[in-house]
Amino acid sequence: MVNPPTESIIDTVSTGRDDVDPPVRQPSRSVDKPSLMVLSSLFPSQCRPSAGLFIQERMFRVATELPLFVVSPVPWFPLQSAIQYFVPHYRIGPAAYEVQTAPDGALIDVYYPRFIALPGVGRCFDGLMMALAVYRFCRRRPELQFDIIDSHFSYPEGVAAGVLSRILHKPNTITMRGTEVPHSRGFFTSRWMRWAWQQAEQIFAVSDSLKQIARQQGIPEGKITVVGNGVDSQTFFPINKSQARAALGLKSSDKVLITVAGLVPRKGFHQVIKALPLLPDDVKYLIVGGASAEGDYQGQLEQLVRDLELSERVLFLGAKPKAELHKILSAADVFVLASANEGWANVILEAMACRLPVVASDVGGNSEVIANQQLGLIYTYGDANALLHSIEQALSDQWDHDGIQTYAQQNSWDLRVEQLLHHFMALDRERLASLRSSREVS
């Protein structure tokens, strides 16, 4: 999901960088509930509002039950400003501290300490450098008490969490979110990830396909729990299709495809664009998204559209706020996700909540979200003919739109949060039992 959550960030306190400590507002603690330090380098900020929305979505719902704060380390190295002279948007850093709001109105502290991240092969040290930076952060802010380190992504955050867990004597969890697929092919990253999984007390995987990656590395199955993303049906719901199309200048007779994602090559926009000349002229394609942490592919996509003379059939709508997405999704007939890599694509459920069938590549957890052919079609990634035929079939089939929406609503965040809370509470009980045992021995 690429829409900037501008409505969720209610205040930003700029305190410079690490040489000036941001304020500390300790989250309210409970004697019977553990508090969390959420560790993720990908998290929304004023300068990158679309980064890590799926993490914010999940953990801010957890925050309605457990006290937590967020530490989102920012990569930095001394000569970074020289690169920014030639590449202005390279590693734009947020303020050191922001206050953001959870769905229930609770205020959440989000900290952005810097860690040294050297380009190129130097990135293999990111986990250690991140651990060092977060350790220094914790030492400078002893008021920030927490019981569990909840890290997102196995590398580098999982590695950093493993190091911190040993130093601070805190249990840690890792959520596998999809980057494990490319990292599993790296010489250094694959070994770091395996070490991180071994250190973690609990691993969450957003899809079974990701769980199997860890299982293949010898991680016990009982240590890994699949907890997919959810959908907010109060935000994602259909509106009248004619009204939605009129707002976008579309005809009622048009056949409309849509993709919502960051404009990066792995999301496969170019593959859908290349299929358009082989589809009838009344098939239009809506592209919703903008630059993301992975880059900005819009210029290349626009050139491809011009080369194929499709300017009248492809609409670039830009990044949209979450609250507006359901209106645009309601104008479409089929959602398409031709991505090369996914963990659990939350946007699929969001499209389904707006009654759309989905065509998606057979990567990551896509086939787990699209659990049967009443919800959509799965095709082999990279097979242009299979993508074309799947789009043609999806546009011509008679879909049970009510059933698709009901399926999405059954995958609510409430169920996911309940699973997470169960594991966090169990982990805290084990932590407390270990502390009691240590005291009795001493």
Side-chain angles (χ1 to χ4, degrees), residues 21-27 29 35 37 69 111 134-147 168 170:
D21 288 347
V24 172
R25 186 173 54 80
Q26 173 66 19
R29 293 170 59 82
S35 58
M37 177 175 75
F69 61 94
Y111 300 91
V134 177
Y135 175 70
R136 290 177 59 240
F137 169 85
C138 292
R139 286 290 300 272
R140 290 201 304 270
R141 298 160 181 83
E143 301 90 346
L144 281 176
Q145 298 296 311
F146 58 94
D147 303 307
L168 302 175
K170 308 281 188 182

Side-chain angles (χ1 to χ4, degrees), residues 172-388:
N172 75 294
T173 68
I174 295 174
T175 296
M176 303 175 66
R177 291 190 168 278
T179 57
E180 290 78 11
V181 176
H183 284 328
S184 66
R185 297 189 286 267
F187 179 81
F188 292 107
T189 53
S190 61
R191 287 160 174 77
W192 274 124
M193 285 197 308
R194 183 167 61 248
W195 180 86
W197 294 333
Q198 291 169 345
Q199 307 308 308
E201 276 76 18
Q202 176 68 53
I203 300 171
F204 302 116
V206 296
S207 67
D208 186 70
S209 63
L210 289 175
K211 174 181 177 178
Q212 298 312 316
I213 292 176
R215 289 284 294 112
Q216 291 164 8
Q217 295 296 320
I219 305 303
E221 182 167 356
K223 194 176 189 178
I224 315 168
T225 301
V226 176
V227 181
N229 290 328
V231 66
D232 181 357
S233 57
Q234 294 183 338
T235 300
F236 292 92
F237 56 90
I239 66 170
N240 181 272
K241 178 173 286 190
S242 297
Q243 294 178 356
R245 290 192 170 190
L248 298 172
L250 297 169
K251 300 176 183 177
S252 59
S253 59
D254 287 335
K255 301 293 181 64
V256 182
L257 309 174
I258 186 171
T259 302
V260 180
L263 297 186
V264 294
R266 76 175 178 90
K267 292 298 183 178
F269 293 99
H270 58 288
Q271 297 181 36
V272 183
I273 292 172
K274 290 178 181 178
L276 283 180
L278 303 176
L279 294 165
D281 291 342
D282 62 351
V283 176
K284 306 294 177 62
Y285 184 33
L286 306 181
I287 294 178
V288 183
S292 75
E294 297 178 44
D296 187 357
Y297 197 45
Q298 182 163 341
Q300 294 92 321
L301 294 175
E302 290 176 336
Q303 184 60 53
L304 178 61
V305 168
R306 288 192 292 268
D307 292 344
L308 297 178
E309 299 181 350
L310 296 171
S311 298
E312 299 298 320
R313 298 176 60 187
V314 180
L315 283 72
F316 289 88
L317 301 180
K320 297 295 181 182
K322 179 169 61 176
E324 294 182 17
L325 276 180
H326 72 288
K327 301 175 185 177
I328 302 172
L329 288 165
S330 297
D333 296 295
V334 175
F335 186 89
V336 185
L337 190 63
S339 50
N341 176 46
E342 293 290 347
W344 176 286
N346 214 42
V347 71
I348 292 179
L349 281 178
E350 293 164 355
M352 289 179 176
C354 296
R355 299 167 58 88
L356 292 185
V358 178
V359 171
S361 52
D362 61 343
V363 300
N366 287 353
S367 61
E368 298 171 48
V369 189
I370 307 172
N372 58 65
Q373 292 189 347
Q374 283 70 52
L375 303 170
L377 304 172
I378 295 289
Y379 77 96
T380 302
Y381 171 75
D383 187 334
N385 287 329
L387 172 60
L388 174 63

Side-chain angles (χ1 to χ4, degrees), residues 21-43:
D21 288 347
V24 172
R25 186 173 54 80
Q26 173 66 19
S28 59
R29 293 170 59 82
S30 171
V31 294
D32 59 347
K33 290 185 177 181
S35 58
L36 311 180
M37 177 175 75
V38 178
L39 178 62
S40 175
S41 62
L42 194 65
F43 205 83

Side-chain angles (χ1 to χ4, degrees), residues 16-74:
R17 288 308 321 168
D18 284 347
D19 55 331
V20 179
D21 288 347
V24 172
R25 186 173 54 80
Q26 173 66 19
S28 59
R29 293 170 59 82
S30 171
V31 294
D32 59 347
K33 290 185 177 181
S35 58
L36 311 180
M37 177 175 75
V38 178
L39 178 62
S40 175
S41 62
L42 194 65
F43 205 83
S45 66
Q46 287 285 3
C47 69
R48 290 202 308 168
S50 63
L53 283 172
F54 43 89
I55 301 172
Q56 183 196 58
E57 188 95 8
R58 177 168 117 173
M59 297 314 300
F60 279 16
R61 282 176 165 78
V62 171
T64 63
E65 299 292 336
L66 300 180
L68 61 80
F69 61 94
V70 180
V71 178
S72 182
V74 178

Side-chain angles (χ1 to χ4, degrees), residues 432-442:
L432 293 174
S434 178
L435 285 175
R436 286 193 295 268
S437 177
S438 298
R439 290 167 182 167
E440 290 173 359
V441 170
S442 60

